[in-house]
Amino acid sequence: MKMKMFTSLIVLFLLFFCHVSMASLEKKETQNQNQNQSQRTTYIIYMAKSEMPASFEHHTHWYESSLKSVSDSVEMLYSYNNVIHGFSARLTQEEAESLEKLPGTLAVLPELKYELHTTRTPEFLGLDRSADLFPESNSESEVIIGVLDTGVWPESKSFDDTGLGPVPSTWKGACETGTNFTTANCNRKLIGARYFARGYEATLGPIDESKESKSPRDDDGHGTHTASTAAGSVVEGASLFGYASGTARGMATRARVAVYKVCWIGGCFSSDILMAMEKAIDDNVNVLSMSLGGGMSDYYKDSVAIGAFAAMEKGILISCSAGNAGPSSFSLSNVAPWITTVGAGTLDRDFPAYVSLGNGQNYSGVSLYKGNTLPSKLSPFVYAGNVSNATNGNLCMMGTLTPEKVAGKIVLCDRGVNARVQKGDVVKAAGGLGMVLSNTAANGEELVADAHLIPATAVGQKSGDAIKKYLFSDPNPTATILFEGTKVGIEPSPVVAAFSSRGPNSITPKILKPDLIAPGVNILAGWSGAVGPTGLSTDTRRAAFNIISGTSMSCPHVSGLAALLKGAHPEWSPAAIRSALMTTAYVAYKNGQKLQDIATGKASTPFDHGAGHVDPVSALNPGLVYDLTADDYLGFLCALNYTESQINSLARRKFTCDSNKKYSVTDLNYPSFAVNIDTTQSSGSSVFKYSRTLTNVGSPGTYKVSISSPGPGVKISVEPPVLSFTQVNEKKSYTVTFTVSSMPPSTNSFARLEWSDEKHIVGSPIAIAWN
């Protein structure tokens, strides 16, 4: 009996031990899985589709099998077929390394995060005078512009489809439903709307639908602004609180819009961007507009460049913002030569608001403030740095101002770090009456107008310094702000915006970027009904239109103009359209003076403005174009000494550089010239040869070359100096030789090459940089 009880106890003990061991094992396994999950990041996996084993019926089965071979628990985020051959998934570093070793894997690259680059324009560009040049033809209404951004506010009048015919038969897209968005929100203008969030949610967790719509709806405003700039319908009586009042319209008013929401509160993730480009290609868009960027990477690592290559092969023009990191050199993003890279210039319109001081001095600034004005008498005036206990109190950051010292006063804040409009909100919260926002050296004299929540104006650095001198010297400083509304006819205009990112091109210095500039300062366009014009949560105002600035605004101008050219010349390639826009761009004002750079107050250079400021009327009839094919770009990649797998990941097919052929970056048929001289490797004079081919897209003609002087140390010659064309699509080649003396000048040199038949001028910028 005792023996039986002892045996039972042993069995119970063993069962208990097994149960505890299994539970602890399961707990440990769960912990490991959770730990693994937290260690996972999103990777984009590039596969050589040509190497898929015959045992797989479809490439997605092969991708799934490859993924399962490194982990049972990983699920695919997206499978791609157009933009790349491959997929995206959340992986640990070890899993990524294992996957990279599998047969058929070209590359496994971590996902990148991208950021957004943030009325009167048609008149300024001459489109109002050119109804006969841009007739309201059916061809323009057949053009579809795809916009990758924060979505769309479909109720905006900018997307009214009155007068538009049926949706183009080429359209293969969809109008997706989701939070606050149904298929009824699309129409014959806004023909498609999709959203992409798997990559975003995999990294940052589920979208909080109480803060933003998990749908194509735009709760931010940026996407509505860019889409309506590119192709918004004509809206009479548009304004922002009475500022910039008039008729608002996009560049291509009859083109169709397809929106792809890829940007959320926490940013825009490359797995989502790639999938949106994948769908846009399937949907048959003609132009892709992307006002976003993510730093500087080699082309085979940059998702925007990779997706753009595939789109270009399908005949889609890709317009991207250059970035808002100017005026620093080497600050550009989106520099791949198959992308049209757009910088920003000003309009001839301003919104003056003056600071009037107690000493009788007045200083001009800009503002979009609309509300109760300041008292008629002068008010006490203080410098933020003197009414704060924080070391950076001069910046008027949240919680840094002392209410007892601010109440009832106008406060001068320095620009920088936090949002300009937020500074005014901080002054308001501390009891301040108004704000003067002073530029520092970083922004110089560039003035960007904002719809402040408090009476406020922004002044340039020189005015700011003079105002501070008064503040620091007068024992009882006083001031007021006078708002003057909207003024047009401002000269000089355009000038290059200080924030507009600059060259040289840090990835390929021998390709000049940006390509051109377009209006990007104080642009009026459609806005979201979910947010105020400042974007601040404290801003309860709502406006159908907003005025904002950035290369985000200049990019859709070019996207819309490209759509106009595509409508007029359906047979033109993306490279031909880009060439037409570049070679007809202008670099001087009507008085002959060169375009100015607001950052320096001096003449701007091709590193600032590229080929110049866009001129759409001239671009319609450029005479000659520099055309390019996908194979030309592949030859360019060979010239960069890219490996076979790096080229294959971009080309999505097997492409081998010909070992018998000499590839050269200088032979890429680009409409501009960048000569990059390494002074450490050259002694004596150096000779650089660039070859180009021009295609006639106009009437027969004989073109003669002219070159402006690049200054001492450089000689430029062209052979042959005359090109004669007898028929359309005829091609003629020429060679430019740059002979550079051994002693480099103290600064970069710039010149311009022009071909003319006395009817057309086909211009190309030249930038010569010494490193």
Side-chain angles (χ1 to χ4, degrees):
M1 181 69 179
K2 282 181 182 177
M3 192 64 184
K4 197 172 181 182
M5 280 181 69
F6 180 72
T7 305
S8 298
L9 284 168
I10 291 283
V11 170
L12 283 169
F13 174 75
L14 286 170
L15 284 169
F16 175 75
F17 179 76
C18 287
H19 176 74
V20 170
S21 299
M22 288 297 289
S24 63
L25 275 170
E26 283 171 12
K27 187 179 179 184
K28 194 170 182 182
E29 198 175 308
T30 303
Q31 284 173 342
N32 286 343
Q33 279 179 355
N34 290 340
Q35 193 176 359
N36 258 0
Q37 202 57 40
S38 65
Q39 288 172 347
R40 285 195 164 112
T41 54
T42 302
Y43 288 85
I44 296 169
I45 299 90
Y46 299 81
M47 305 290 282
K49 197 173 173 184
S50 58
E51 294 178 31
M52 182 177 80
S55 54
F56 294 101
E57 285 183 17
H58 197 268
H59 60 271
T60 53
H61 301 154
W62 178 39
Y63 300 162
E64 284 164 2
S65 174
S66 301
L67 189 56
K68 293 299 178 193
S69 71
V70 299
S71 171
D72 285 334
S73 58
V74 179
E75 287 188 9
M76 204 181 288
L77 290 173
Y78 295 114
S79 170
Y80 310 100
N81 189 42
N82 290 322
V83 284
I84 65 166
H85 292 148
F87 58 96
S88 51
R90 301 275 292 173
L91 304 166
T92 62
Q93 190 178 336
E94 293 76 18
E95 289 165 350
E97 287 168 0
S98 299
L99 198 51
E100 200 159 24
K101 291 171 186 169
L102 291 179
T105 304
L106 292 170
V108 178
L109 300 175
E111 176 171 63
L112 294 174
K113 184 181 170 187
Y114 291 73
E115 301 291 344
L116 293 164
H117 284 152
T118 298
T119 66
R120 179 164 173 77
T121 319
E123 294 97 311
F124 187 66
L125 294 173
L127 296 180
D128 62 321
R129 304 188 304 272
S130 312
D132 52 330
L133 294 171
F134 292 99
E136 293 199 347
S137 63
N138 288 331
S139 58
E140 185 194 328
S141 67
E142 291 297 306
V143 179
I144 303 161
I145 304 175
V147 182
L148 271 67
D149 214 298
T150 63
V152 66
W153 192 260
E155 292 82 6
S156 169
K157 288 181 181 176
S158 295
F159 305 111
D160 185 348
D161 66 355
T162 303
L164 284 174
V167 172
S169 58
T170 54
W171 175 243
K172 306 296 180 198
C175 192
E176 295 179 352
T177 60
T179 318
N180 305 317
F181 204 94
T182 70
T183 52
N185 289 125
C186 291
N187 59 18
R188 289 169 302 180
K189 165 57 90 173
L190 178 65
I191 62 173
R194 297 184 186 269
Y195 68 99
F196 303 85
R198 285 185 204 167
Y200 178 89
E201 291 189 318
T203 302
L204 295 180
I207 284 164
D208 183 346
E209 294 186 49
S210 67
K211 292 181 179 173
E212 58 183 332
S213 305
K214 193 175 177 181
S215 74
R217 182 166 290 279
D218 177 19
D219 303 300
D220 177 274
H222 192 277
T224 301
H225 200 279
T226 54
S228 58
T229 297
S233 300
V234 175
V235 183
E236 293 177 1
S239 76
L240 170 61
F241 305 141
Y243 285 101
S245 61
T247 299
R249 50 160 286 184
M251 296 299 97
T253 55
R254 296 180 63 77
R256 316 302 177 122
V257 177
V259 162
Y260 301 82
K261 183 175 176 178
V262 294
C263 294
W264 308 83
I265 286 173
C268 331
F269 288 82
S270 57
S271 57
D272 294 328
I273 292 168
L274 271 176
M275 197 60 199
M277 294 175 89
E278 171 89 13
K279 287 294 185 187
I281 292 169
D282 273 342
D283 293 347
N284 270 349
V285 304
N286 304 108
V287 176
L288 266 179
S289 189
M290 301 173 67
S291 292
L292 45 82
M296 304 160 208
S297 304
D298 283 314
Y299 309 128
Y300 63 88
K301 292 180 185 173
D302 181 346
S303 295
V304 169
I306 290 162
F309 190 95
M312 169 275 298
E313 278 200 291
K314 298 281 187 181
I316 300 167
L317 181 135
I318 306 93
S319 171
C320 288
S321 44
N324 298 337
S328 303
S329 300
F330 297 98
S331 53
L332 294 161
S333 53
N334 300 318
V335 296
W338 48 87
I339 287 173
T340 301
T341 312
V342 188
T346 63
L347 289 172
D348 62 343
R349 177 178 65 194
D350 219 340
F351 309 102
Y354 296 88
V355 184
S356 186
L357 302 179
N359 64 0
Q361 295 295 308
N362 292 322
Y363 295 93
S364 62
V366 295
S367 181
L368 296 168
Y369 171 73
K370 197 74 170 179
N372 296 328
T373 54
L374 290 163
S376 53
K377 63 181 191 331
L378 296 173
S379 302
F381 190 25
V382 293
Y383 179 54
N386 295 338
V387 289
S388 168
N389 295 322
T391 53
N392 60 352
N394 63 310
L395 295 172
C396 295
M397 295 173 77
M398 290 180 76
T400 61
L401 298 182
T402 307
E404 300 78 42
K405 296 179 180 179
V406 170
K409 299 181 174 77
I410 296 171
V411 181
L412 185 141
C413 303
D414 283 325
R415 186 171 167 183
V417 184
N418 59 331
R420 300 182 301 271
V421 288
Q422 191 183 65
K423 294 174 191 285
D425 206 26
V426 169
V427 171
K428 185 180 180 184
L433 280 181
M435 175 184 71
V436 176
L437 179 61
S438 172
N439 279 1
T440 60
N443 303 100
E445 300 309 302
E446 174 178 73
L447 299 179
V448 178
D450 293 297
H452 294 284
L453 290 163
I454 188 172
T457 186
V459 298
Q461 183 193 4
K462 289 174 187 171
S463 296
D465 289 347
I467 294 168
K468 285 175 199 172
K469 193 174 178 182
Y470 164 72
L471 269 172
F472 299 151
S473 60
D474 193 299
N476 296 299
T478 56
T480 192
I481 302 170
L482 307 166
F483 300 93
E484 298 285 306
T486 305
K487 293 283 191 305
V488 295
I490 305 297
E491 291 185 356
S493 61
V495 296
V496 179
F499 61 74
S500 187
S501 288
R502 314 301 171 99
N505 179 341
S506 60
I507 305 299
T508 317
K510 289 179 183 174
I511 299 293
L512 181 62
K513 291 280 184 170
D515 290 316
L516 72 173
I517 61 168
V521 179
N522 298 332
I523 304 301
L524 179 81
W527 196 245
S528 167
V531 67
T534 63
L536 297 174
S537 57
T538 51
D539 190 353
T540 56
R541 303 170 299 174
R542 294 294 179 264
F545 290 84
N546 198 6
I547 296 170
I548 56 176
S549 302
T551 54
S552 277
M553 285 59 256
S554 52
C555 165
H557 277 87
V558 168
S559 309
L561 297 176
L564 283 181
L565 293 189
K566 184 70 176 174
H569 303 284
E571 74 285 1
W572 281 7
S573 70
I577 293 171
R578 192 241 323 266
S579 174
L581 291 167
M582 286 176 67
T583 61
T584 57
Y586 61 91
V587 291
Y589 304 113
K590 290 190 173 88
N591 64 6
Q593 296 292 310
K594 292 180 178 178
L595 293 188
Q596 279 189 21
D597 177 3
I598 201 165
T600 62
K602 298 175 183 174
S604 62
T605 76
F607 286 143
D608 310 320
H609 61 232
H613 192 282
V614 68
D615 178 359
V617 177
S618 298
L620 258 183
N621 180 18
L624 308 174
V625 295
Y626 294 88
D627 211 351
L628 281 160
T629 65
D631 280 351
D632 293 322
Y633 292 120
L634 292 173
F636 162 79
L637 298 177
C638 292
L640 295 180
N641 295 318
Y642 273 25
T643 65
E644 195 170 319
S645 64
Q646 288 165 352
I647 293 175
N648 289 354
S649 62
L650 268 160
R652 306 168 327 284
R653 63 178 183 272
K654 206 163 181 61
F655 181 88
T656 307
C657 300
D658 186 345
S659 57
N660 296 317
K661 188 174 177 182
K662 189 183 175 187
Y663 294 97
S664 173
V665 172
T666 62
D667 290 341
L668 184 70
N669 201 34
Y670 217 70
S672 56
F673 298 88
V675 183
N676 198 55
I677 302 157
D678 187 345
T679 53
T680 60
Q681 292 182 2
S682 58
S683 58
S685 66
S686 303
V687 176
F688 303 88
K689 288 185 181 290
Y690 285 55
S691 65
R692 294 289 188 270
T693 300
L694 283 161
T695 303
N696 181 36
V697 292
S699 52
T702 297
Y703 288 77
K704 294 178 181 176
V705 76
S706 63
I707 304 160
S708 64
S709 171
V714 183
K715 287 182 179 174
I716 306 173
S717 62
V718 177
E719 188 58 42
V722 177
L723 298 173
S724 290
F725 297 89
T726 59
Q727 56 192 19
V728 175
N729 294 326
E730 186 179 359
K731 296 180 185 293
K732 297 273 183 176
S733 298
Y734 69 94
T735 301
V736 186
T737 303
F738 299 90
T739 307
V740 182
S741 64
S742 57
M743 287 298 293
S746 56
T747 58
N748 297 326
S749 295
F750 304 99
R752 189 168 174 81
L753 180 152
E754 292 183 346
W755 291 95
S756 176
D757 66 347
E758 298 184 357
K759 296 178 199 164
H760 309 92
I761 293 175
V762 184
S764 292
I766 297 170
I768 302 158
W770 279 261
N771 296 329

